[in-house]
Amino acid sequence: QVALVESGGGSVQAGGSLRLSCAAFGYTYNYYMACFRQAPWKEREGVAAIGGGSTYYADSVKGRFTISQDNAKNTLYLQMNSLQPEDTAMYYCAASLRAFPFMLTATKYNYWGQGTQVTVSS
């Protein structure tokens, strides 16, 4: 079993930055890890993923968001810079052994955190 706990959400003005953390509990070696987001009335959207030595990003966040992981701490990070109001959403981390090659597809992930809210004001 894998448990994921997100932290680091909050409110920020446009142009600001936030860093989300996702602590993983349980055996996650070789798991693909990802961050998704869901705004009200919208489908869950893949934002960034990491695994197999590679990173993957949605076009909407390329150049602004960076995903990384600290294996010693079993923690995933999402550094979000140049935030815009359209980035406002609940952000979730997710884990899967079988996501590849569909790294940003929510249905490929079977472990999910509880989410953390990110609100960006203009």
Side-chain angles (χ1 to χ4, degrees):
Q1 275 297 83
V2 173
L4 304 172
V5 179
E6 298 101 338
S7 61
S11 297
V12 65
Q13 290 191 326
S17 298
L18 285 172
R19 189 177 79 157
L20 303 185
S21 298
C22 173
F25 300 90
Y27 186 77
T28 57
Y29 185 70
N30 276 346
Y31 273 68
Y32 294 99
M33 304 291 293
C35 292
F36 289 79
R37 66 186 181 188
Q38 189 166 20
W41 319 117
K42 292 188 177 181
E43 291 188 359
R44 192 164 292 193
E45 173 192 19
V47 173
I50 187 168
S54 298
T55 56
Y56 308 82
Y57 295 96
D59 288 343
S60 58
V61 306
K62 279 181 183 175
R64 301 189 297 124
F65 290 12
T66 303
I67 192 168
S68 61
Q69 60 188 148
D70 184 332
N71 290 323
K73 295 182 179 179
N74 219 12
T75 300
L76 181 74
Y77 301 102
L78 183 68
Q79 178 66 43
M80 304 185 293
N81 298 329
S82 301
L83 283 162
Q84 299 301 316
E86 52 265 35
D87 295 316
T88 295
M90 185 72 80
Y91 282 70
Y92 300 88
C93 64
S96 171
L97 278 172
R98 299 179 180 86
F100 187 84
F102 307 102
M103 301 296 289
L104 298 180
T105 300
T107 55
K108 297 299 182 182
Y109 290 83
N110 50 336
Y111 295 106
W112 292 86
Q114 83 286 358
T116 186
Q117 178 68 36
V118 171
T119 301
V120 185
S121 58
S122 57

